[in-house]
Amino acid sequence: MGTRPWVAAAGGLVVLVRLTPKGGRDALDGVAPLADGRTALKARVRAAPSDGAANAALVRLIAQAAGVAAGHVAIVGGAASRMKRVKIAGDPAAIAGALEKAASGRGGRAA
């Protein structure tokens, strides 16, 4: 896959995520191409999309995959949409490495 669904930003990384709520498990399912040529990190969570439960589960999942505290992860765009922009605060290179590992199936699943 040529492009990654994340870009370095001031103080961290911004990730484009395609979220599937009520997905049966909390997991990252790799990277998917979008119709417009971009790519998105595919994520699924058990939580339903009500009262922010799916967004909170996504924040926890991304934090675990990136190796950062949940307080360092914020949804900065698309909170009410399936496509979300998530900012992860920290060292962009380290976060990108952790997400690369998780997205490839070597650590993206949560219990």
Side-chain angles (χ1 to χ4, degrees):
M1 194 132 318
T3 62
R4 289 286 159 227
W6 48 78
V7 295
L13 212 63
V14 174
V15 184
L16 182 63
V17 178
R18 190 180 98 210
L19 178 63
T20 302
K22 293 173 44 175
R25 68 182 191 276
D26 294 345
L28 296 180
D29 290 334
V31 175
L34 301 176
D36 63 5
R38 298 179 301 163
T39 58
L41 182 64
K42 296 188 308 183
R44 65 176 62 220
V45 295
R46 288 180 279 231
S50 60
D51 297 326
N55 286 343
L58 175 64
V59 165
R60 289 189 302 272
L61 177 64
I62 295 291
Q64 180 183 12
V68 301
H72 292 172
V73 179
I75 296 175
V76 295
S81 169
R82 179 182 180 113
M83 296 299 298
K84 301 180 185 301
R85 286 183 330 138
V86 178
K87 182 165 185 189
I88 308 167
D91 175 39
I95 295 167
L99 289 179
E100 188 77 42
K101 181 178 176 183
S104 70
R106 298 184 311 257
R109 304 215 186 281

